Amino acid sequence: MAQNLIGSEIIRVAGEVNAMIAKGEPICNLTIGDFNPSIYPIPEELRKGITKAYEQGHTNYPPANGVAVLRKAVVNFTKERLGLTYPENDILVAGGSRPLIYATYLALVDPGDKVVYPTPSWNNNHYCHLSGATPVEVKTRPENNFMPTAADVKPHLKGATMLALCSPLNPTGTMFSKKDLEEICDLVLEENRSRGEGEKPLYMLYDQIYWMLTFGNAEHYDPVSLRPEMRDYTVYIDGTSKCFAATGVRVGYAFGPTVVMDKMKSILGHVGAWAPKAEQMAMAEFLQQPEEVNGFMDEFKPKVQESLNVLYNGFQELKSEGYAVDAIEPMGAIYLSAKMDLAGKTTPEGKVLETSQDITFYVLHEAKLAVVPFSAFGSGKDLNWFRLSVGGASLEDIKASLGRLREALQKLY
């Protein structure tokens, strides 16, 4: 399994970026789904709470499923903000969302079981490999904002064990419409009604880690709110890393059917993938301060949205000037989907750009703009769409990179 595990294409691009930065080159790094703390610090009350928790001696093991005060805080936060009511016992806390996604795979999927997921999407191909699942990739289209529709997934659900979805979606920054998610939920319910006694259900893994980061008129929808019957089949992946710029604080949580959550607890109990106790205590306190949460979001969201809008408008301007680029208006998360349809063009050195990787490295070296191709998220190398992540770059760096991109595009023939 380890020998055949595919390396992260994002890390490969990041390695090249870091080498160029070390040489003093002015790179606008839009590769990593992270936040620069000097631009996007965590909430001040949360920072103080973490320090206080360490001073109070919260340095021992936390309970394997999360400290009780945090699980209670998550219950209340989820009920107040999303209208979802889950008991404290069905909340599982871990060191970010990754262990929770992995635990969902291990709890539900036997080797050879079918897992259906859209491309592009984050890491499902790797989790299928780790769990021995049979991956069923569903290609999505820019015409539907790279979100899967019921028609896209319907042919693949018969006999599948899990449908893995994410909204707002990493890498695209786009979201499900109410209609599309309702129709997909109806298909899952229909498939489960058709299964015989003793047959494994079809579950939905619903990653909504970015749900608090939505922009404009975009609205977040979730399966159980739309179709209450989905409660028996939906495992939610959630957490605080993205909404509070707290990626390194490592507090994620999941909730779902008791029978599944109990198995996930057992798995992570042996792995030891819990969030540090002090951070859990501080997060529990912060989630129970709605004025502080709202105050932070009121400053944080517009700042992220401004960077996304500057990028989006910059690409639209380049498109209007006749360059072969485009972008989808940002809806959520910290990502812009941008198209640079440069395959077949020749660089000043005489090299023909053929794949999205070629375009990635041309733009990196000529425009000093670091982006990630959708091929890093399961799409083909002939799909010339890219993820641009704004959390690690200043607004000034983003604006400057657009001018350099124009110059790089001008050099192609």
Side-chain angles (χ1 to χ4, degrees), residues 255-268:
F255 49 95
T258 303
V259 64
V260 179
M261 300 313 298
D262 285 347
K263 303 303 182 201
M264 290 171 61
K265 288 178 202 173
S266 299
I267 291 167
L268 291 189

Side-chain angles (χ1 to χ4, degrees), residues 20-325:
M20 293 176 70
I21 291 173
K23 294 176 183 175
E25 299 193 43
I27 306 297
C28 180
N29 188 359
L30 305 183
T31 60
I32 305 297
D34 198 1
F35 299 93
N36 182 333
S38 66
I39 303 170
Y40 297 103
I42 66 172
E44 181 64 13
E45 288 302 311
L46 176 59
R47 186 191 65 77
K48 290 177 180 176
I50 293 170
T51 302
K52 183 177 77 172
Y54 276 107
E55 290 171 347
Q56 291 175 341
H58 291 293
T59 55
N60 57 325
Y61 286 131
N65 62 335
V67 297
V69 288
L70 176 56
R71 288 184 284 115
K72 287 177 183 174
V74 168
V75 166
N76 294 331
F77 190 79
T78 303
K79 183 177 181 180
E80 290 166 7
R81 303 269 172 164
L82 289 169
L84 293 169
T85 304
Y86 281 79
E88 179 191 331
N89 193 53
D90 289 345
I91 307 294
L92 174 59
V93 177
S97 64
R98 290 175 191 242
L100 297 164
I101 296 172
Y102 186 33
T104 307
Y105 269 82
L106 292 184
L108 297 179
V109 178
D110 290 312
D113 282 359
K114 283 170 52 177
V115 174
V116 181
Y117 59 88
T119 58
S121 65
W122 180 80
N123 258 23
N124 283 300
N125 54 336
H126 299 303
Y127 288 117
C128 282
H129 180 79
L130 289 167
S131 61
T134 299
V136 180
E137 297 183 344
V138 178
K139 289 185 178 179
T140 57
R141 304 174 304 282
E143 295 78 19
N144 200 53
N145 298 326
F146 289 108
M147 298 301 294
T149 65
D152 293 331
V153 301
K154 184 175 183 178
H156 308 289
L157 297 184
K158 183 61 63 179
T161 296
M162 191 163 77
L163 172 62
L165 301 176
C166 175
S167 182
L169 178 63
N170 181 2
T172 63
T174 57
M175 301 165 61
F176 277 117
S177 69
K178 183 182 180 184
K179 177 177 178 289
D180 282 342
L181 187 55
E182 282 177 335
E183 290 177 352
I184 290 173
C185 289
D186 289 339
L187 287 179
V188 172
L189 294 170
E190 180 186 342
E191 174 61 24
N192 279 310
R193 284 192 291 268
S194 75
R195 298 198 175 184
E197 189 177 344
E199 200 174 349
K200 290 176 74 169
L202 168 62
Y203 286 97
M204 181 187 291
L205 184 158
Y206 197 72
D207 180 352
Q208 58 175 18
I209 192 78
Y210 295 97
W211 71 266
M212 291 183 73
L213 288 174
T214 60
F215 310 116
N217 295 321
E219 187 173 346
H220 172 73
Y221 297 100
D222 74 89
V224 176
S225 294
L226 296 179
R227 294 290 186 267
E229 311 96 294
M230 284 293 294
R231 188 183 179 94
D232 291 338
Y233 307 113
T234 305
V235 176
Y236 286 91
I237 305 296
D238 210 330
T240 60
S241 297
K242 307 297 185 178
C243 55
F244 301 136
T247 52
V249 176
R250 309 310 299 148
V251 180
Y253 49 87
F255 49 95
T258 303
V259 64
V260 179
M261 300 313 298
D262 285 347
K263 303 303 182 201
M264 290 171 61
K265 288 178 202 173
S266 299
I267 291 167
L268 291 189
H270 287 298
V271 173
W274 42 69
K277 188 179 180 185
E279 278 77 350
Q280 291 194 44
M281 299 299 292
M283 192 61 74
E285 188 175 338
F286 182 67
L287 290 180
Q288 296 176 84
Q289 301 177 59
E291 288 186 8
E292 296 293 341
V293 171
N294 293 339
F296 175 80
M297 295 305 295
D298 286 345
E299 290 187 13
F300 176 52
K301 277 178 60 171
K303 200 172 174 182
V304 173
Q305 185 175 8
E306 185 178 10
S307 287
L308 287 168
N309 286 343
V310 165
L311 267 180
Y312 172 73
N313 292 331
F315 269 82
Q316 292 306 311
E317 189 174 322
L318 290 170
K319 179 184 176 183
S320 71
E321 294 170 13
Y323 295 105
V325 301

